[in-house]
Amino acid sequence: MEELSRRRMLLAGGALGALGALSAATPAQARPPWTWAASGSVAGQGAGLDPEWVWDDEADPVLAAVIDRGDTSKVNEALRQWTRNDQALPAGLPADLREFMEEARRMPSWADQDKLRAAARFTTKKGIYTGALYGLGSGLMSTAIPREARAVYYSKGGADMKDRIAKTAQLGYDVGDLNAYQPQGAMVVTAVKTRLVHAAVRHLLPQSPGWSRTGDGQTIPISQADLMVTWHSLPTFVMRKLKDWRVPISAAESDGFLHVWQVTAHLMGIRDEYIPASWEQAEAQSRQVLDPILAATPEGVELTDVLLDIVAELDAGLTRPLINAFSRYTVGDRAGDLIGLDKEPFWQPLISAAWPLLVAFREGLIPLPLVPAAAWTVEEAIRRFVLLFLAEGRGIHLEIPDTNRPA
């Protein structure tokens, strides 16, 4: 990466005016043809349709009608009352939306409660790793996913990233909750509300001049392919990193972690024929749909800077260099360069050397004297970040947008 990072080039180039010009000039990223076989999915079979051209036939027309009728505020007010899996849907919902949601909230027939309980045990033991990886791995990787970065930037949520991050954290918090899919949990609610938000964005974003001129060629955002790309940036990426870090995980807990995300994919409107049935299938699909499409966009670089500024609020920016270095260690140099992460010559080699030892100590694999003292500075910064990340996920209301990002 050039010494003058893309982020500084962007800021020097004239804020949003330059952003629009650069965005229009960014070439479209070629997407590999879809070859992954549905025989590797939880459904075991499928129609063979390329998910690039499949959206959400059940949710999309309903949410378009809600927005076009001017019912958005009324629906959001009603949905604030729906917070637990076992609650009846609130009064005041339009009949078409209620009918859709009653069906959408049903758990898939293949959901396995034993595996979901194993997922809860996994979170109890490995929460500090998954929290860090969701926030400083998956969260930052999303800004290197061109379609996701642009969809976030030009939608309503892009105008208030702290609120947007809090709502994203709600998903990470709820999916890792010990009662995620139990009656007293909230993950069914969170997944269905997220599905509603995606459908609303599909209706609204094509009306955004900023999004429409990005040159990607996509006329409707958030296809099933895009949803799977995002999905892989979460569980597949996290499991890959846990293996890289040599975190011991039992087979039952590994299966449970996959299963909780399989159920989540289903409830968010992803067709079963696209949901991988195993980690091997998840890796195979990820190598096709996620790994090749990572790329730099002006929107992604801008969002990265905003995200890191929010993290820096922990201590007025004192740990931002450390967070930069840990994020680059987590997502890798390729993605780090694409999103304009600063290189940190002091922290990067320290983290690369100390973090594996810290993980080994936490897992009881080596004694304390082998862990350098500086590693505990890293541990404390990451611990505080995870607490912030989880705290942002509490008491947040996912709401249907009724407009795009203001010009």
Side-chain angles (χ1 to χ4, degrees), residues 50-400:
D50 185 340
E52 173 75 357
W53 306 105
V54 182
W55 289 272
D56 192 335
D57 294 341
E58 293 80 24
D60 291 352
V62 176
L63 269 295
V66 167
I67 294 169
D68 292 345
R69 289 195 305 257
D71 285 344
T72 308
S73 295
K74 179 179 73 173
V75 167
N76 283 331
E77 183 177 353
L79 289 178
R80 280 176 173 262
Q81 312 307 313
W82 189 43
T83 59
R84 284 175 45 130
N85 297 337
D86 60 356
Q87 277 183 287
L89 293 178
L93 294 176
D96 54 350
L97 181 60
R98 175 180 293 277
E99 182 181 359
F100 164 73
M101 290 179 65
E102 288 289 10
E103 181 63 29
R105 68 185 296 188
R106 295 177 184 272
M107 293 283 282
S109 60
W110 43 264
D112 185 321
Q113 289 299 324
D114 288 339
K115 289 184 177 181
L116 293 175
R117 282 189 285 271
R121 293 195 298 272
F122 170 82
T123 300
T124 300
K125 296 178 181 179
K126 315 298 181 186
I128 188 169
Y129 307 129
T130 56
L133 287 168
Y134 286 149
L136 296 175
S138 304
L140 283 171
M141 180 186 289
S142 70
T143 66
I145 299 172
R147 287 184 176 176
E148 186 167 350
R150 287 163 171 159
V152 168
Y153 186 88
Y154 291 108
S155 62
K156 186 177 181 179
D160 185 351
M161 280 303 294
K162 186 162 189 179
D163 180 69
R164 175 67 166 75
I165 291 168
K167 290 174 178 175
T168 302
Q170 184 77 51
L171 178 67
Y173 176 78
D174 288 342
V175 79
D177 187 78
L178 300 184
N179 296 313
Y181 284 109
Q182 299 303 311
Q184 65 271 38
M187 194 54 215
V188 171
V189 174
T190 298
V192 172
K193 286 184 178 180
T194 301
R195 185 177 179 183
L196 300 181
V197 171
H198 287 163
V201 170
R202 286 189 202 96
H203 181 61
L204 292 167
L205 209 52
Q207 304 169 35
S208 163
W211 181 81
S212 298
R213 69 169 176 257
T214 56
D216 181 75
Q218 191 178 43
T219 57
I220 303 173
I222 317 180
S223 68
Q224 294 273 302
D226 297 328
L227 288 172
M228 285 313 304
V229 166
T230 299
W231 190 88
H232 286 297
S233 75
L234 289 155
T236 309
F237 168 78
V238 167
M239 184 54 68
R240 187 182 294 177
K241 295 307 297 185
L242 291 176
K243 288 181 177 179
D244 289 347
W245 292 351
R246 299 182 180 179
V247 176
I249 304 168
S250 72
E253 290 167 358
S254 175
D255 290 346
F257 181 58
L258 174 63
H259 193 65
V260 78
W261 277 104
Q262 290 169 329
V263 173
T264 299
H266 174 94
L267 288 169
M268 289 177 64
I270 296 175
R271 295 188 181 187
D272 288 357
E273 66 183 274
Y274 301 132
I275 303 173
S278 66
W279 284 119
E280 291 74 19
Q281 289 295 333
E283 276 289 344
Q285 192 185 96
S286 179
R287 286 193 295 270
Q288 179 181 344
V289 303
L290 172 61
D291 298 357
I293 59 92
L294 297 180
T297 63
E299 296 88 351
V301 174
E302 173 80 353
L303 290 175
T304 300
D305 210 53
V306 173
L307 287 169
L308 291 176
D309 281 345
I310 291 170
V311 173
E313 292 177 11
L314 278 170
D315 57 7
L318 295 179
T319 59
R320 175 153 175 174
L322 187 154
I323 295 299
N324 284 340
F326 187 83
S327 299
R328 184 175 276 274
Y329 173 72
T330 301
V331 302
D333 282 331
R334 177 193 170 206
D337 288 348
L338 291 174
I339 61 180
L341 275 178
D342 290 336
K343 294 181 177 179
E344 304 292 346
F346 172 78
W347 283 110
Q348 279 180 237
L350 188 151
I351 289 172
S352 297
W355 184 254
L357 295 175
L358 194 58
V359 170
F361 169 72
R362 286 179 59 86
E363 299 301 323
L365 301 178
I366 62 169
L368 178 60
L370 295 180
V371 182
W376 300 104
T377 302
V378 178
E379 163 91 349
E380 178 60 13
I382 299 305
R383 186 187 68 81
R384 292 176 65 191
F385 168 78
V386 172
L387 290 175
L388 171 73
F389 176 80
L390 295 181
E392 291 282 17
R394 303 182 190 189
I396 301 299
H397 297 287
L398 296 173
E399 296 193 330
I400 299 167

Side-chain angles (χ1 to χ4, degrees), residues 35-53:
T35 58
W36 188 78
S39 57
S41 71
V42 294
Q45 59 183 351
L49 299 175
D50 185 340
E52 173 75 357
W53 306 105

